[in-house]
Amino acid sequence: MAKGIRERELQNLMIQWSLPMGWGFTAGRSLLRETTQTVVAGELRDAIVRLNPGIVDGFDVDAVVEEIIGTVNAVEGGLVRANEQVLRLLRGHKEFRDADGVWRALRVIDVEHPAANTLIVSDEVTITVPGKTPRRLDLVYWVNGLPLVVVEVKSPTAKSGWAKAAREINDVYATEYPWFFTPNVFAVASDGLKLRFGAVGAPLNLWQPFRSTADDESLSGQADMQRSVELLLNPATVLDMLANFALFDTAGGGVDKKYLPRYPQREAAHLIHQRVLAGGQKGLIWHHQGSGKTLLMVFAASLLLADTHTDSPTIILLSDRTDLVRQTSGVFTSAMGDAYFHQPKTSQDLRSLLASDVRGVISTTVHKFAEAGKSLSKRDNIIVLVDEAHRTQSAKSESLAGQMRAAIPQAKFFGMTGTPLRNLATDTFALFGDEADPGRVLHRYSVSRSLRDEATVPVMLDPHPVSFEMNDQKLQAEFDQFADDFDLDDPDREALSRKFGRLTSVFANPDRIHTVCQDIVDHYLTGAYRNGLKAQVVAYNRELAVAYTDKINELLAGFEASQVLAEVGKHDRITAEVNISVSDSKDEDPAMRPYRLSEAEEEGQKRRFLTPDDPLCFLVVTAKLMTGFDAPNEGVLYLDKPLKAHTLFQTITRPNRTWVSPTGFVKTSGVVVDYIGLAEEVQRAVVDPTPEGSGKGGGFVTDVSELVAEFRTTFARIEDLLADVDDLDLTVHGYESVRAINVFLDAKPGSAEVFSRDYRLLARLYSLISTDKRIAKYRDGFGLFGSVYTTLFKRSSDEERKERLAELGPMVLEIINAHVHSFAVVASQEEPLVLDAQGIAILKELMALVRSKPGKDDGEDEKPPSAAEILDRIKAALDKGVEPGSAKYTALAERIRLLRDRIIQTAQDALDFLSEALRIARAIVNAGKHPEEAVVLDDDHVGVLSRIIHDHAPAGLTITERNLAEEIDQVVTRTLAQSWDNADARNRGVRRATAAVFRRYMLKPVGEPYDSTVAYIEAHYLVD
């Protein structure tokens, strides 16, 4: 926006941009209406006559106009309900009685042909009634005499900018004069720097920009502002919003709501509609997690149902969770009534609906298609909209998705996802993507666009790794003594060692539980709680989720937590609750049964978590609520569970929703506190799998350490700039220090601009890392620099002030609220390998394979090499023995990379690491000796399972490894396709199925090769 612009100038610019689009201009004072009137009655009357040739002669047009005005002025049921009724009338869904007593529909607005309407934009439109303060609206866009759009503008230098304009619309104009807004499609707020539109009365975080995904993302300033006006206030857009996209939920059971689409939702809904009309069979919608895919399905379904060309379709809203679409079911019951919206309770109910040729919307889960049979309905106007399309969707015929497609073979499928997959089990691009679409994606809304639009907020990754020490020799001695005392034989000793020598034992250590939970409570109370945000904790398993909940509640009841609560003054006590999957089967662990929640109890728990003032501040989970749970007020997620790929991506997006607290706090970022050390895995999880989208997630996830480093560097630049200020002490924040810096900057040309630029960067960084203990020592200096910047700002020219004011608000807020707190979780570096005699033997064999001439003083027994050193030596052997660039080289290098990612925290982990490293080293040696033989790739499940079975094959095995591996692969794949209550139950089912195959071939389902087979299945068959 040009410097020095005023409100009136901005109004004139918007009018100027509107005229070429078909709007005519009439000054507010020249409109043929009284200031007490909402409707320009003469224009409305003319439009009714013009738009209804052949039937209007049978009506008393003046009586029709009076009836419409009466509907516009009726707001007794609240503005949302009144708005719904008026827009229904404007869409042509209300009938009027003619002179013969016959009810007929009349067109009030021609939504298909914008130019057939009278289109007027007016400035300075006054509204008033006796006894109320007159109000003047900056701009009003009228269609046939009805005010469909209201615009409020503020100067770029106004405090809080567009947000103040939006608040005036919500809290002043619509509160005092609600009847003026019953015909409103949407409202617009702008400060010349930003433009936002929203439903009148909606919270500010739901007011969104309006752009185009086809435009350059770097568009900014006046060009961006003008483009937004041209896109949003185009008559075709306004009438499209009126006819197809202003949806309501007034069906009861909650607060009345009006839904408007974000621009990517509108674009994608139209593309789905167009693809269906053109006879297309599928399409992939790839929108960033948290940007509103579930609501996109609602908009698309509404558009399809309203079009007569689709011949009364059946729209199936498909989810793998029953609560994802239920949130918006009220939209359909409001628009169509209960008769056209169906939520089958059982698989039989679903089959009956499809077999009876029901039309409208069916909201269901993919699990209800199990055993549905083939060709349940052969209609080709069944349209399936799949939420979270990367989950439970597979091309295999025996899968749930495969059974669904067999049941409705002519249906059209559109997948919505933020994390498309491309691997052995699932290829979202092939399943939903049309080959004619670029990259097989029908519509894309990227991470970077979502962040720029402030539709989501960035996520900060804050590593808090937990280290521990273990006296291996003492532990082994105590275990041996224990085994001797109970007279355990070798198999029993081995069974106990396997059961308790796993990662679970480390996580379940009471000292570790206390350390992690204490850090969680300290971190939460110092930051997120003070801003009204809530937290989610992801624990390793169900038992630990319960233990963490108990420990967090114990700590929250302590004296230190009570002091913080008293200081904030919001709650006397806050609590944590657990949410885990607990079945009602007889095999369920009795210890877990008390934590089973009914559907109503779970919904109540979610509502309390979403309520800002409710004392429920923590939800502790292990698998549930990590995906599909939309909680905008969640500010921090504490992650203490290893996760990978799409599951990790979806989990870390929990805190990325926008939110504004009741007190006005604006959430600018979410935080993931990582106790596992998943930084590299996170970067892999957010990488765009399409070739054109390579990179690290477009700035979605940022490691806090990187921000701290940039803060320190920027701070140091300012220190260097001020190095010649006499007797400057950055810890003294007073008038003399500020004055001394000002005198210095005045005397050195250009230095004030350099200082201001670096300070603005420093302030933006500080708002993201203010609770990090590493910047505590910079607090005084940062406050001093802020005071200097303020004095420079006050002395700036008007034009400079206008540029800087937009950035000043958040900076001042952070200075005022600056609190630096410390927390104590010990950061760990790479863990050394902890080895026993068996491990030393493996290590010696491994070193012999990868080094041709081992030295005499290598000292492996005394000081074993680290994991990284071992892998470096294996990689060196690979580089030396196998031709770079070959298929073998690529396959083996990938296996080394996967091994490098392994977490080593126990002796058992170290042995597993060495065993796999030894297998890779042998493969490298064999590859060098037999260059003509193929190398089995890790993503060939049967090939890898064959190798595992061969490596551990017992004497006398009578079946070939390949045949056994193929049967295991088939059984596991079938088992995974079944419906499971939770991930733990699914994993148990997979282990039981694998054990059954082993028993059939007279192999014991304990020890090797069973253990390695199960370990591979759990790591590579998407069993999370």
Side-chain angles (χ1 to χ4, degrees), residues 285-300:
I285 310 299
W286 185 359
H287 286 193
H288 177 44
Q289 207 70 23
S291 57
K293 292 181 293 299
T294 304
L295 196 53
L296 161 59
M297 292 167 58
V298 175
F299 287 121

Side-chain angles (χ1 to χ4, degrees), residues 45 56 290 326 364 406 508 519 527 537 627 648 853 906 912:
R45 189 187 194 286
V56 74
R326 188 191 307 132
T364 187
D519 186 68
V537 180
T627 60
L648 175 59
K853 294 181 180 180
T906 67
D912 291 344

Side-chain angles (χ1 to χ4, degrees), residues 707-958:
L707 300 180
V708 170
E710 188 173 3
F711 182 93
R712 287 169 167 168
T713 301
T714 307
F715 194 97
R717 281 204 304 270
I718 297 178
E719 278 191 301
D720 290 344
L721 176 67
L722 305 178
D724 293 331
V725 178
D726 294 336
D727 301 323
L728 178 62
D729 184 350
L730 295 183
T731 64
V732 178
H733 185 177
Y735 171 76
E736 290 301 326
S737 297
V738 173
R739 185 176 180 279
I741 295 174
N742 270 287
V743 169
F744 172 78
L745 295 177
D746 286 342
K748 190 174 181 181
S751 61
E753 288 76 11
V754 173
F755 173 88
S756 297
R757 183 190 64 238
D758 280 342
Y759 176 78
R760 288 196 295 270
L761 173 59
L762 208 61
R764 284 195 294 271
L765 292 167
Y766 188 81
S767 67
L768 300 173
I769 57 176
S770 60
T771 59
D772 195 289
K773 65 180 181 181
R774 289 170 290 184
I775 66 164
K777 65 181 180 180
Y778 299 99
R779 180 183 178 184
D780 290 331
F782 176 69
L784 173 60
F785 295 160
S787 296
V788 173
Y789 180 80
T790 302
T791 61
L792 292 175
F793 175 79
K794 288 179 178 178
R795 293 186 299 157
S796 299
S797 69
D798 287 343
E799 294 177 351
E800 291 171 328
R801 287 164 61 86
K802 289 163 187 172
E803 279 192 342
R804 295 178 184 173
L805 261 170
E807 300 180 40
L808 225 135
M811 300 175 192
V812 173
L813 182 64
E814 289 302 329
I815 294 170
I816 294 172
N817 295 327
H819 294 283
V820 178
H821 302 270
S822 300
F823 33 77
V825 169
V826 180
S828 63
Q829 302 299 319
E830 179 190 75
E831 290 290 324
L833 287 165
V834 182
L835 306 174
D836 58 8
Q838 178 187 359
I840 294 297
I842 296 174
L843 181 60
K844 286 182 176 179
E845 184 180 354
L846 176 63
M847 293 296 100
L849 279 174
V850 298
R851 288 196 317 201
S852 55
K853 294 181 180 180
K856 294 181 179 180
D857 14 320
D858 292 321
E860 284 120 327
D861 288 11
E862 292 77 18
K863 186 180 180 181
S866 69
E869 291 169 338
I870 290 172
L871 292 175
D872 288 342
R873 294 179 191 181
I874 295 176
K875 183 65 167 59
L878 174 65
D879 292 338
K880 180 179 179 181
V882 182
E883 182 180 351
S886 67
K888 287 185 179 184
Y889 185 95
T890 302
L892 292 168
E894 175 63 9
R895 290 173 63 184
I896 295 172
R897 185 192 68 77
L898 292 173
L899 191 55
R900 194 179 292 278
D901 293 338
R902 179 167 292 186
I903 299 171
I904 300 174
Q905 291 185 293
T906 67
Q908 184 61 48
D909 291 335
L911 290 177
D912 291 344
F913 172 92
L914 286 176
S915 297
E916 179 62 13
L918 182 59
R919 282 195 290 272
I920 295 173
R922 286 172 177 161
I924 290 171
V925 172
N926 290 335
K929 291 179 179 178
H930 307 287
E932 70 284 356
E933 293 182 3
V935 172
V936 177
L937 296 174
D938 270 354
D939 60 355
D940 176 1
H941 285 334
V942 173
V944 177
L945 290 172
S946 299
R947 188 185 73 238
I948 291 172
I949 295 166
H950 176 79
D951 287 349
H952 301 281
L957 183 66
T958 58

Side-chain angles (χ1 to χ4, degrees), residues 561-582:
S562 299
Q563 282 187 307
V564 174
L565 297 184
E567 178 188 340
V568 175
K570 186 183 297 182
H571 300 107
D572 295 329
R573 174 77 189 276
I574 59 174
T575 61
E577 291 185 13
V578 68
N579 187 302
I580 54 177
S581 295
V582 182

Side-chain angles (χ1 to χ4, degrees), residues 131 224 230 359 514-515 582 636 655 673 797 853 859 881 894 950:
D224 181 40
E230 292 171 347
R359 307 303 171 103
H514 180 87
T515 299
V582 182
V636 57
V673 177
S797 69
K853 294 181 180 180
E894 175 63 9
H950 176 79

Side-chain angles (χ1 to χ4, degrees), residues 539-550 578-598 601 620-622 982 984-985 988:
Y540 188 72
N541 56 28
R542 295 190 305 169
E543 292 75 15
L544 281 168
V546 172
Y548 280 31
T549 304
D550 292 342
V578 68
N579 187 302
I580 54 177
S581 295
V582 182
S583 74
D584 57 359
S585 71
K586 62 181 180 180
D587 298 328
E588 181 57 83
D589 183 352
M592 293 292 104
R593 286 176 182 161
Y595 304 102
R596 186 170 187 271
L597 298 176
S598 68
E601 288 171 333
V620 186
V621 304
T622 185
N982 55 64
D984 291 335
R988 289 195 296 270

